[in-house]
Amino acid sequence: MLVQHEKGIAKPDTGKDGVDDFGSLEYDTAIELAGVGRFHHLITFICGFTLMSCGFDVNLGGYIAPTASAVFDMNSEKIGLIHAVFLAGTISSCFFWGALADTFGRKRILVPGMFLDGVLLLLSSLSHNFSTFIVLRFLSGFIIGGPMSLIYTYLGEFYSERKRAKVICFVALAMTLSTLILPVVAMTVLPIKMSYKIDKWEFNSWRLLVACMAVPSLLSAVLLSLMPESPRFLFTKSLHEECLHVISKMFEMNTGKDRASFPVKSFNSKQKVELIGPGQKKLLSSIVYKIEIMWSQVSKLVKPPVLNTTVLCTTVIFTNMVGYCGLGIWIPEFFDRYEEAGKLAPNATLTVCGARTVPRPPDDEDSADSKIFSQRTLLFNIIIGGLSILGNLASGFLANRVDRRLMPVTLMLASGGAVLYLILVDSTMKLLATACLFYVMIGTAHAVYNSIMVDLFPPSIVGMGVCLALLSGRFGAMMSNIILGNLLDQHCQSTLIVTGSVVLVGAFASLFIPKNLPHHNC
């Protein structure tokens, strides 16, 4: 029952049958009565930290490439493969983790997922050869694909519907923040002169950087283990007593009052309790049920009238992530190759593509220690990360003030143009300016698309619609990394033209975003 003791909180109407609507309304009212305070600040920080840890893992490959290439005798093709297999791992686990989270709970996936990611990063730092390293990176992608997607759902389910969108937009900045913090850590760790050898295996600074990135993942697992299960998940499983325990704890932390004074004492729902009990039959039937639901939702996405929305969203996210998680991951390597070529040919005026044709000196015994990003290269990436955060904040400010399709069209045009202009860049400062323009525009467009997709798909299938669009985006990023790795050194100009053209297709496709799309409060 609901005891009304706060002004302005009305007793919900049960409707004619008094079952589902009444229970659902009671839950939303209970979340509202819990307030927003210390608990929400704590869990938002933890979820943001977890998302930032995921960001470290996504972008790590770009910072270890120079030294690891000397150790594992890697060319650009193998560097591209490192990026691609990680993304392939996230693609292969996309629906798998969602089904398990809906069956066993968000926390039961998030905690072991982040812990395993930390363990895999530690094992990656100890890899003896390229094959072992590539397998571990695939497994890292497979594991991190769960927490990276579920963390938004987990956090959002602690907030009321009217506050949920805003807080998710805010915590999404943590992923962008990782692009600022990672080069700062790399600037500190990579120059360290260290060597611990066992036969032909050597533990040096690039391995230390990989091991350092395991710390945030392991810490995230510890912090998440201290948090409760999602109350929304508990409610949907009809575990009402456990759900009220979580919400009353939220009330206690937010208000400072005793949880016994929380006004909601029970949920007046006649739903049968669905326990998450053991048993292979229970597990199998639950998974089959989830697959049937997913298939039903996917079938709706590929039929009119939703088909047009599905094609639009998968197209714009595919083209966006070809640049954002494709070419964007190669930005540190672009700076490194250009700086190195400038030292090898100091009197030549080199373009970005011309720098890739300058012969590199053969590796020697000390190359693993010497082949690290220069401090200036890392500083450039810090600048890009800082500007990306400003771009995301600006997009949030402008979201409700300009036409919904104006921002993605403008951002994708600017980023596609920046990719094409890279062909003409012939100085370090021009490369920095162009890279800043590209990464800030493409990253901000990605945030804007995520906001727009929520409003484009029907509410009943919006989760599956966004998941399918992001799946197409990850596939585009994977293919982009494979193509860049195989063609960038031999056909640099053609590769950049194709990449820039794909991004510009996204700008054109964004023109089909409906004019009357409602503004998303972000």
Side-chain angles (χ1 to χ4, degrees):
M1 74 183 161
L2 178 63
V3 180
Q4 179 182 353
H5 74 232
E6 293 192 16
K7 187 177 180 180
I9 303 296
K11 184 174 182 178
D13 182 13
T14 62
K16 290 183 178 180
D17 54 9
V19 182
D20 293 341
D21 290 342
F22 185 80
S24 178
L25 186 56
E26 273 197 340
Y27 172 83
D28 292 334
T29 306
I31 288 290
E32 286 280 1
L33 285 171
V36 176
R38 285 191 304 162
F39 176 85
H40 288 90
H41 299 155
L42 177 61
I43 198 164
T44 300
F45 169 78
I46 291 174
C47 290
F49 184 80
T50 301
L51 192 60
M52 185 173 65
S53 303
C54 296
F56 291 151
D57 205 352
V58 170
N59 295 291
L60 178 61
Y63 290 89
I64 62 175
T67 315
S69 63
V71 175
F72 295 141
D73 189 25
M74 295 193 303
N75 53 20
S76 295
E77 181 180 344
K78 289 185 177 180
I79 292 174
L81 187 60
I82 287 178
H83 301 322
V85 296
F86 180 86
L87 292 164
T90 65
I91 292 172
S92 61
S93 66
C94 185
F95 294 106
F96 174 75
W97 292 122
L100 288 183
D102 286 341
T103 304
F104 297 106
R106 324 305 189 203
K107 181 180 174 180
R108 293 187 180 185
I109 301 301
L110 288 169
V111 174
M114 294 308 297
F115 176 78
L116 286 174
D117 182 62
V119 172
L120 287 168
L121 282 169
L122 289 175
L123 292 175
S124 297
S125 71
L126 303 176
S127 300
H128 282 258
N129 52 58
F130 178 76
S131 298
T132 304
F133 187 74
I134 211 80
V135 169
L136 290 171
R137 288 304 290 164
F138 173 83
L139 292 175
S140 286
F142 183 89
I143 294 296
I144 206 66
M148 192 161 55
S149 301
L150 288 174
I151 198 68
Y152 294 107
T153 302
Y154 177 69
L155 176 63
E157 289 176 341
F158 286 96
Y159 282 86
S160 63
E161 187 174 357
R162 64 189 181 90
K163 295 187 174 88
R164 192 173 301 141
K166 187 173 183 180
V167 74
I168 288 177
C169 286
F170 173 76
V171 81
L173 284 172
M175 183 66 82
T176 307
L177 186 62
S178 68
T179 64
L180 172 63
I181 296 178
L182 180 56
V184 173
V185 177
M187 181 180 284
T188 305
V189 174
L190 288 177
I192 296 176
K193 299 295 183 180
M194 60 173 297
S195 177
Y196 179 74
K197 292 185 178 181
I198 300 178
D199 294 330
K200 295 182 179 181
W201 180 84
E202 180 181 10
F203 190 90
N204 44 27
S205 61
W206 78 268
R207 295 182 184 273
L208 179 61
L209 178 62
V210 177
C212 285
M213 291 301 102
V215 175
S217 293
L218 295 173
L219 183 55
S220 295
V222 173
L223 293 174
L224 287 168
S225 69
L226 302 176
M227 293 291 101
E229 179 56 88
S230 157
R232 170 68 73 177
F233 171 78
L234 295 172
F235 182 80
T236 58
K237 292 295 180 181
S238 295
L239 300 173
H240 294 165
E241 185 177 341
E242 291 85 346
C243 177
L244 277 175
H245 178 78
V246 173
I247 298 176
S248 62
K249 181 64 177 178
M250 292 163 54
F251 170 80
E252 184 179 49
M253 286 188 65
N254 288 335
T255 64
K257 300 176 183 178
D258 189 88
R259 67 172 64 181
S261 64
F262 185 58
V264 181
K265 304 303 180 185
S266 66
F267 292 118
N268 189 14
S269 174
K270 298 179 182 178
Q271 294 175 348
K272 183 180 178 181
V273 175
E274 182 187 346
L275 295 175
I276 315 172
Q280 186 175 0
K281 186 176 180 181
K282 174 76 176 178
L283 173 60
L284 181 61
S285 63
S286 179
I287 292 177
V288 170
Y289 176 66
K290 298 299 179 186
I291 292 174
E292 289 176 350
I293 292 177
M294 287 192 295
W295 178 253
S296 173
Q297 292 179 332
V298 170
S299 65
K300 292 178 183 178
L301 289 169
V302 296
K303 294 178 182 178
V306 186
L307 177 60
N308 290 340
T309 298
T310 303
V311 172
L312 174 62
C313 290
T314 53
T315 300
V316 296
I317 293 296
F318 177 90
T319 57
N320 175 264
M321 292 190 70
V322 162
Y324 186 44
C325 293
L327 184 62
I329 295 179
W330 287 76
I331 287 178
E333 199 267 353
F334 268 78
F335 281 122
D336 177 63
R337 289 290 291 269
Y338 196 81
E339 291 275 294
E340 182 183 31
K343 294 176 182 177
L344 295 173
N347 298 321
T349 301
L350 297 171
T351 62
V352 167
C353 290
R356 306 191 75 86
T357 63
V358 175
R360 309 180 81 175
D363 296 337
D364 54 39
E365 293 181 356
D366 298 324
S367 61
D369 292 323
S370 60
K371 279 199 171 185
I372 61 173
F373 287 135
S374 68
Q375 295 292 91
R376 192 159 79 145
T377 294
L378 294 171
L379 179 61
F380 289 161
N381 286 277
I382 292 172
I383 293 171
I384 293 173
L387 291 175
S388 296
I389 294 175
L390 294 178
N392 276 258
L393 291 173
S395 69
F397 175 77
L398 294 172
N400 294 333
R401 293 170 173 82
V402 299
D403 184 85
R404 292 299 297 276
R405 66 181 180 184
L406 176 63
M407 285 183 63
V409 170
T410 304
L411 293 168
M412 292 292 280
L413 276 175
S415 55
V419 175
L420 297 178
Y421 184 72
L422 274 174
I423 298 171
L424 305 176
V425 165
D426 58 2
S427 72
T428 302
M429 288 299 104
K430 287 182 181 179
L431 176 57
L432 174 61
T434 307
C436 284
L437 177 64
F438 162 72
Y439 200 79
V440 172
M441 295 295 106
I442 201 81
T444 305
H446 186 73
V448 171
Y449 282 137
N450 282 331
S451 173
I452 288 176
M453 282 193 299
V454 174
D455 295 325
L456 280 173
F457 286 107
S460 61
I461 53 174
V462 63
M464 183 58 69
V466 171
C467 183
L468 185 63
L470 291 176
L471 185 66
S472 74
R474 290 176 182 177
F475 179 77
M478 181 187 72
M479 295 304 300
S480 177
N481 277 287
I482 292 175
I483 292 171
L484 288 168
N486 281 274
L487 301 180
L488 198 57
D489 286 344
Q490 292 79 21
H491 308 283
C492 176
Q493 291 188 7
S494 301
T495 306
L496 291 178
I497 289 173
V498 170
T499 304
S501 300
V502 170
V503 175
L504 291 176
V505 168
F508 174 75
S510 299
L511 292 171
F512 293 92
I513 295 173
K515 278 187 176 181
N516 58 348
L517 190 66
H519 284 284
H520 188 62
N521 184 26
C522 190

